[in-house]
Amino acid sequence: MRDADLKALTGLCAKCGTCRTVCTLYPERKAEIAVARGKIALIDAAMSGEDNDADAVQEALTDCLLCGRCERACPNQVLVEEIVMKGRADLAEEVGIPAWKRVLFGKVMTSPAATGIARKAAAAGQRLLPGKIPTASGLHYRFPDGLGGEGRTVPKLPAKGFLESLGKGEAATGEVMLFVGCVFDHVFPEVGRASYETVKASGRSVAVFRDAACCGLPAMVSGDRRSATECAEANVRRLRAAEPGAIVFPCGSCLLMFKRNVFSLIPKGDPLYDDAVFVANHAVDYASFLLSSGVLDRLPEPSPVEKVGEIGYHDPCHLSGTLGKGPEAREVLSRAVGPAFAEMAGADLCCAYGGTFNMRDYSTSARIGENKVTAAVRGGTKVISTACSGCALQMRDMAARTDPSVRVVHIAELVHQALFRK
């Protein structure tokens, strides 16, 4: 590793160990290498030539959820997430990345057509699985262990995605652009639909971003800088050309990609830099848009207090932690469901999805996620709401493993239910 930018970033670390006190992964690993201080020491050793085992350094950097808790707690404001992502990218160029990631990020997620074909193929495969799985326990959307892996629950994929459900010419142009993201289009189209209908309730014309590549975050955090850049450049060009007044993101991780991470791929001096700045300045989270657009003023009075305190909110690390957008979601929930919303025990704890971390080390990811759901249930929460696609995937899986009676929803679904309640 020979990266001057990376060296400047790691040089700010005072090795104080504050990161260890907040690291989501440290209680599981009990090892210095799990925390930011240990990883930075490894990177420094690699860059100085003291450690030439690139595979071992890559393994250490991969073993991170990128939840950002260490970065937010760091007294020196060390940019840990950027360090880890740059380190992963440098090492990917040196030792490569797994073949499945190259195909997924480089061939599938950069192409909306390929993503649609992959979802349809997966949905067809699910239909061929033995049916009649008991539903009472919440296993109705679980793959058999041989396909799901380690008891993993996988959502039942729809035959048709959200974008496919739009009518010809529907939501083609508008002053507000809705970027639903891959998961809320292909896996949970009901979230895409609820987001669209509730944003449209603002009275402003709404266009849905179509034929879009992935936001690029999964490729970026995996070290596949080329695929991430390809996605980011394609999206920035098209979003800038559309000149929307606002770009609304139901997913906090997609929003972070366009608010912050994109400038690692399209830095100052790049021909697309000004366009990326335009997109970042117009990108807004779903809850903030609702609060500023008057949609919530149209909500009827919440139902009588028959479910007091049963709906909680899980803070997505990227949205609430990094971007500081937790209060907005809580305000939306308070106005949509009234006293049914209450602060959830452990709301700000990471769910441990961590992008591909969940696929790399499912057993650890599941232990952390199960503990979070268990704490919420003990606190009286029966419905966990959130605003991130990765968190939604993880929390539904963890609810099925821990307490199948717990529902996991996006806040847009609750707003839609309140707004259009009959």
Side-chain angles (χ1 to χ4, degrees), residues 123-200:
Q126 284 185 327
R127 288 194 293 273
L128 293 175
L129 293 173
K132 310 302 181 186
I133 297 174
T135 58
S137 65
L139 298 178
H140 53 285
Y141 56 90
R142 174 179 290 204
F143 273 147
D145 284 356
L147 293 175
E150 303 176 86
R152 183 193 305 269
T153 55
V154 178
K156 183 178 180 180
L157 294 171
K160 181 180 288 189
F162 164 63
L163 292 179
E164 283 183 288
S165 74
L166 293 172
K168 187 177 181 180
E170 182 182 5
T173 60
E175 55 185 318
V176 176
M177 183 71 78
L178 179 66
F179 190 105
V180 294
C182 303
V183 173
F184 294 151
D185 176 18
H186 294 289
V187 183
F188 303 132
E190 66 276 15
V191 175
R193 172 59 64 178
S195 301
Y196 170 56
E197 297 290 349
T198 51
V199 168
K200 197 168 65 171

Side-chain angles (χ1 to χ4, degrees), residues 2-21:
R2 297 287 188 272
D3 189 322
D5 293 338
L6 195 53
K7 190 174 181 60
L9 291 171
T10 61
L12 296 174
C13 177
K15 309 294 191 294
C16 67
T18 301
C19 50
R20 200 174 79 171
T21 67

Side-chain angles (χ1 to χ4, degrees), residues 37 54 126 184 363 407:
R37 180 172 65 177
Q126 284 185 327
F184 294 151
S363 59
R407 287 178 59 216

